[in-house]
Amino acid sequence: VQLQASGGGLVQPGGSLRLSCAASGSINMLNTMAWYRRAPGRQRELVASIVPGGSTRYADFVQGRFTIYRSGKNTVFLQMNELKPDDTAVYYCYVEDWATDYSTFHDYWGQGTLVTVSS
């Protein structure tokens, strides 16, 4: 499974960005899709996740500013509004793909896309 993430860039405080991540390759069935981030000098942390039924989970720091959603079975987006300098980080796409016997799932990470929030 390959993950192609895009959408990062430089944005001013208060601005918006939309990240996208498309999964391709030998996919069985994707379970959780999520976005993580790693800010300079900090550990990687969960930003948001979504499961096939549509339930979502957000980190406390999101505070209603971000929305995660899926398009079709294999693409996930993260709409980020009201961006703050503290949101500056490399954002990573993450997916779980069920094994063919559905006994477990395999984890995959995208290459990361840099989001810089600065005036």
Side-chain angles (χ1 to χ4, degrees), residues 14-89:
S16 299
L17 283 175
R18 187 180 74 163
L19 306 182
S20 65
C21 177
S24 63
S26 299
I27 298 169
N28 180 34
M29 187 174 77
L30 298 181
N31 187 37
T32 297
M33 303 182 80
W35 289 95
Y36 286 74
R37 72 183 189 185
R38 177 177 287 164
R42 301 186 64 175
Q43 292 189 339
R44 186 164 55 191
E45 58 186 351
L46 175 69
V47 178
S49 64
I50 186 168
V51 296
S55 294
T56 57
R57 173 186 173 193
Y58 295 93
D60 289 343
F61 61 75
V62 169
Q63 297 178 327
R65 300 177 297 127
F66 300 172
T67 302
I68 188 171
Y69 60 98
R70 294 171 79 148
S71 176
K73 295 181 179 179
N74 300 337
T75 303
V76 63
F77 296 91
L78 183 68
Q79 176 66 44
M80 303 188 294
N81 300 325
E82 301 175 44
L83 284 161
K84 306 174 182 179
D86 284 350
D87 294 317
T88 295

